[in-house]
Amino acid sequence: MPTVFLLTDAQVLDESFLVLINDLLASGEIPDLFSDEDVDNIISGIRNEVRGLGMVDSRENCWKFFLARVQLQLKIILCFSPVGHTLRGRARKFPAIVNCTAIDWFHAWPQEALVSVSRRFIEET
């Protein structure tokens, strides 16, 4: 089932959570997310589907198939504000947040806001 994981910067109470998001964005999986028992259940649940596609139903092939399916169905949306130093610091600590995403500035800034921000920074210098 297609799923969207939506996370705003206000919901990040502990930055260690971003380590998991960074790993997921960079490699497509989170190490040690599932216990061995859960992995076995997942593999046994998709084994018939893997066989049906003509693939060898080895543990490794089943796990790769599962990850590929998750990557097709899961979309991650990060809504982080560019205002302040928080995003800049997080981008340095967790490079996949920038390198492995498509940035969409979905609200155009009004001309007044652009002038106001630029004047504030120019006045400081």
Side-chain angles (χ1 to χ4, degrees):
M1 177 185 325
T3 304
V4 171
F5 178 72
L6 175 64
L7 181 70
T8 65
D9 51 359
Q11 293 172 315
V12 179
L13 301 178
D14 183 4
E15 286 202 352
S16 65
F17 182 67
L18 292 176
V19 172
L20 302 174
I21 298 295
N22 189 68
D23 289 347
L24 182 62
L25 291 171
S27 69
E29 66 179 301
I30 299 172
D32 301 324
L33 179 64
F34 297 107
S35 68
D36 290 339
E37 183 179 317
D38 290 337
V39 171
D40 290 338
N41 289 337
I42 291 168
I43 288 172
S44 65
I46 62 170
R47 197 171 288 270
N48 289 334
E49 195 171 348
V50 171
R51 268 191 234 128
L53 293 172
M55 298 169 56
V56 177
D57 65 343
S58 68
R59 182 178 173 87
E60 184 178 327
N61 282 346
C62 289
W63 188 248
K64 285 181 182 178
F65 177 80
F66 171 72
L67 290 179
R69 176 70 55 89
V70 169
Q71 289 171 0
L72 284 173
Q73 298 297 327
L74 177 64
K75 303 300 176 211
I76 299 174
I77 300 174
L78 304 173
C79 298
F80 291 171
S81 173
V83 177
H85 300 287
T86 306
L87 180 60
R88 186 179 328 155
R90 288 178 175 168
R92 280 191 205 120
K93 291 180 198 173
F94 312 105
I97 290 175
V98 175
N99 297 336
C100 300
T101 59
I103 298 176
D104 183 5
W105 305 101
F106 57 90
H107 292 296
W109 279 43
Q111 185 68 25
E112 300 164 355
L114 292 171
V115 170
S116 172
V117 169
S118 62
R119 278 194 181 140
R120 192 183 113 216
F121 284 106
I122 290 173
E123 287 172 359
E124 289 176 7
T125 58

